Amino acid sequence: MSGKRFKGKLCVYCVTRPSITGDHVFAREFFTDESRSNLPQVPTCDSCNNEKSKLEHYLTAVLPFGGRHPDAYANLTEMVPGRLAKNLRLARELSATRSRTWYLEQGMYRETMTIPLDSDKCHLLFELIGRGLAWYHWQVYLQPGQTSRAMFLSKSGTAWFDAIFTMDAAARVHGDLGKGTVTYVGVQAVDRRDLTLWRINFYGGIAVAGDPAAPAEVATEIAVVTGPTTLVNSLAERSQSSQTPRSI
Ligand SMILES: [Zn+2]
């Protein structure tokens, strides 16, 4: 179904090999069957497509646990059991470590289920998603010396990003996929077209608890920054939001 239009371009993820197919920036498996039409696609090579698929197999089984959107529930009850049946090791891991906890949201404590979240896999996938979105909307290929970096937004990080998003931009974009299953906003810097910032919301906001010693701090939004490596790293540090998520 990917078609010829994605063949022979440069892969948006490695920016080295020619593409052989189209990759869904947000894997179709994050959405219910009814919500899978018109998802953004980008050119990808075989190798990057396979690597991204591995990350997606894991995260499409895990992320719906943290979601609040009705499709997260549909995804959990209809699709996640099938995925876990195919991945017995992950299923055992999740059932052994699942527990309930309380977290603070908008001044109220809510009870939620927590399961462990592999933050490396999560960051890697969202860094690829950032590369995909930058190309899909603005045809940006990240060159050597440029990078993509993902982070969960804590309260301080959210305030910092709120300020950034009000600044002048060359372009702004808003995406709503699967009636709110995934929403995102992006801005592209005026003076550096490779500098793009994204805020991505899955399933109405995935509750990601940070340090178990401070369970009240919950991130619900993921940010991705693309651009020159040194600038991206300093932006990420200044946002003070690169906490290590331990569970969702
Ligand atoms: Zn590639």
Side-chain angles (χ1 to χ4, degrees):
M1 63 155 288
S2 301
K4 287 179 186 158
R5 64 200 168 109
F6 292 111
K7 277 198 178 148
K9 292 190 162 70
L10 203 53
C11 169
V12 301
Y13 300 123
C14 61
V15 198
T16 307
R17 291 177 288 264
S19 63
I20 51 111
T21 188
D23 173 67
H24 289 92
V25 176
F26 298 98
R28 298 170 78 244
E29 291 74 19
F30 282 120
F31 303 87
T32 56
D33 285 343
E34 302 76 52
S35 307
R36 291 182 177 180
S37 53
N38 300 318
L39 298 175
Q41 289 187 65
V42 296
T44 180
C45 72
D46 220 7
S47 166
C48 292
N49 200 27
N50 288 340
E51 286 306 306
K52 187 162 172 279
S53 289
K54 285 183 204 158
L55 298 170
E56 287 163 346
H57 280 309
Y58 171 74
L59 287 163
T60 55
V62 172
L63 285 190
F65 282 100
R68 289 172 293 182
H69 186 274
D71 277 8
Y73 181 74
N75 206 307
L76 260 185
T77 51
E78 290 161 26
M79 295 188 286
V80 168
R83 280 174 211 146
L84 291 179
K86 288 184 210 150
N87 189 342
L88 290 175
R89 195 173 66 87
L90 178 59
R92 275 198 298 270
E93 198 181 297
L94 292 179
S95 67
T97 52
R98 201 176 289 175
S99 66
R100 300 195 74 84
T101 192
W102 294 89
Y103 69 98
L104 185 64
E105 184 187 83
Q106 292 172 346
M108 274 179 67
Y109 280 98
R110 296 169 195 272
E111 193 179 23
T112 187
M113 186 167 66
T114 69
I115 53 169
L117 177 65
D118 184 326
S119 72
D120 288 346
K121 285 182 180 164
C122 213
H123 284 120
L124 278 173
L125 180 62
F126 281 96
E127 281 156 18
L128 294 176
I129 286 173
R131 286 174 181 264
L133 288 175
W135 187 88
Y136 180 74
H137 288 288
W138 299 315
Q139 294 74 54
V140 170
Y141 277 111
L142 295 182
Q143 304 299 325
Q146 300 175 344
T147 195
S148 174
R149 190 162 160 180
M151 63 211 90
F152 284 94
L153 284 185
S154 63
K155 216 176 199 176
S156 56
T158 302
W160 191 85
F161 266 79
D162 283 344
I164 286 275
F165 271 74
T166 62
M167 292 165 75
D168 281 346
R172 294 175 194 276
V173 69
H174 173 255
D176 184 341
L177 307 172
K179 297 195 188 80
T181 303
V182 173
T183 59
Y184 60 87
V185 289
V187 293
Q188 185 179 35
V190 173
D191 46 346
R192 295 222 45 144
R193 298 302 165 99
D194 57 318
L195 182 59
T196 72
L197 285 85
W198 304 91
R199 296 170 73 147
I200 303 166
N201 195 301
F202 265 69
Y203 301 118
I206 312 156
V208 179
D211 186 350
E217 183 76 1
V218 172
T220 58
E221 211 176 8
I222 297 147
V224 188
V225 185
T226 73
T229 305
T230 46
L231 182 56
V232 166
N233 286 340
S234 86
L235 286 176
E237 270 142 42
R238 274 156 57 193
S239 77
Q240 295 181 321
S241 54
S242 50
Q243 59 172 318
T244 307
R246 296 288 294 273
S247 59
I248 59 176

